[in-house]
Amino acid sequence: MVKNIAVITDIHGNYSALKAVLSDIEREGKVEHIYCLGDLIAIGHETNQVLEELRSRKDVSYVLGNHDEAILNILNGEEPGSQGEEREHHYWIAKNMHREFITFLSEMPKRLESMINGKKILFLHYHLNECNRFLSIDTNPSVTKLDDLYKNEDADIICFGHHHVLHYFKGNNRIYLNPGALGCNSQPIATYATISIKNDGCVNCNVKEVGYNNRGFLVNYFRYDVPAKNTLLRIFHGNQDRNIINE
């Protein structure tokens, strides 16, 4: 029997992209469970829509991301760990997030393990140090580095996000997979991955790109006067808003 799961990560408050991916998963009709690898919120402004959609589902498991953690820190009266425009943006997200979602976020672990058809899979937002804190992004990852980093782990597959670009490495009898950010792209495209595991141990990973209409999402950065909107749109959405404004 084949077991099929989906891996999504870095939704970043983009409900429009999330709905496109969930619709695609449902249309395919093969996925039995979804693993969400953190950063559900921040950068994008559709915080409450994203959290309401995900909290209502029974087929999703979660790990906590660094932006999720920053927002929880603010709501707990602590410093978010961010500075400048990012800090201002985090406080705006926290202010506008419905308080009913605090428990939902605070119950998410930073790592999650699952055994599927004899394969042990480790899910996390990004690599963690011995103090359970996220490491800085390695912009030049390699299978050698990853094998060394996880040399004491017995997982067959390690799934993570945080770095918004695709990673797919095959190491020493292990697969490393990051499908890339679902909610941040320089085009109106949302990405996610599926993993199929046969009972004979054969593993197949597939990364999908789903097109969607992001016009309203981009325009609303200005309608809601989102803090750091110009920086966010430039870095995480390739200034697509300029095309809309110039139409």
Side-chain angles (χ1 to χ4, degrees):
M1 179 180 294
V2 180
K3 295 286 186 179
N4 296 286
I5 64 170
V7 179
I8 63 176
T9 188
D10 296 273
I11 300 163
H12 281 300
N14 189 340
Y15 178 67
S16 307
L18 174 63
K19 285 296 290 180
V21 164
L22 293 176
S23 295
D24 193 71
I25 290 172
E26 290 165 8
R27 185 165 51 251
E28 292 287 336
K30 297 179 181 180
V31 168
E32 301 170 44
H33 199 77
I34 301 169
Y35 291 86
C36 178
L37 307 188
D39 277 3
L40 286 69
I41 57 177
I43 295 179
H45 49 77
E46 296 173 332
T47 305
N48 296 309
Q49 298 98 313
V50 166
L51 295 179
E52 181 61 39
E53 174 68 33
L54 291 173
R55 189 182 64 167
S56 70
R57 300 181 69 99
K58 305 299 182 184
D59 60 343
V60 187
S61 297
Y62 306 88
V63 293
L64 190 74
N66 59 296
H67 284 275
D68 310 320
E69 185 175 46
I71 303 306
L72 283 174
N73 286 344
I74 292 171
L75 295 170
N76 289 328
E78 304 170 7
E79 280 294 317
S82 49
Q83 298 178 346
E85 279 192 323
E86 183 182 35
R87 186 175 188 274
E88 182 186 3
H89 177 77
H90 281 155
Y91 271 91
W92 185 87
I93 293 292
K95 178 183 178 181
N96 289 282
M97 190 185 92
H98 294 167
R99 297 302 184 262
E100 65 189 86
F101 298 121
I102 294 175
T103 300
F104 174 58
L105 286 173
S106 62
E107 291 178 344
M108 295 178 187
K110 281 192 173 179
R111 55 179 286 154
L112 179 68
E113 296 177 359
S114 183
M115 186 70 72
I116 302 175
N117 265 358
K119 294 293 184 181
K120 185 176 180 180
I121 309 180
L122 171 62
F123 302 95
L124 63 170
H125 181 61
Y126 199 61
H127 322 309
L128 297 164
N129 64 17
E130 62 276 4
C131 298
N132 207 36
R133 296 184 180 277
F134 297 114
L135 297 178
S136 299
I137 287 179
D138 181 354
T139 58
N140 188 31
S142 69
V143 68
T144 301
K145 290 179 182 178
L146 290 167
D147 276 341
D148 184 62
L149 186 62
Y150 290 101
K151 60 187 176 184
N152 295 322
E153 292 282 353
D154 61 351
D156 300 293
I157 305 170
I158 297 178
C159 297
F160 58 93
H162 188 45
H163 194 182
H164 290 179
V165 297
L166 170 67
H167 299 65
Y168 183 68
F169 296 102
K170 287 188 176 181
N172 295 328
N173 301 311
R174 178 182 291 154
I175 293 172
Y176 302 97
L177 175 64
N178 171 2
L182 183 154
C184 297
N185 200 302
S186 60
Q187 303 176 63
I189 291 172
T191 65
Y192 75 100
T194 58
I195 303 176
S196 299
I197 305 174
K198 296 182 179 179
N199 54 11
D200 64 1
C202 181
V203 177
N204 182 53
C205 301
N206 182 40
V207 176
K208 295 197 66 176
E209 294 184 341
V210 182
Y212 71 105
N213 185 347
N214 65 351
R215 181 188 180 96
F217 172 73
L218 296 174
V219 167
N220 281 340
Y221 272 91
F222 298 92
R223 178 183 177 190
Y224 302 143
D225 195 21
V226 179
K229 57 183 174 294
N230 292 319
T231 300
L232 297 174
L233 288 165
R234 174 175 55 83
I235 294 175
F236 298 107
H237 296 286
N239 276 332
Q240 295 175 76
D241 58 295
R242 291 184 179 179
N243 295 329
I244 292 173
I245 291 171
N246 292 328
E247 286 180 359

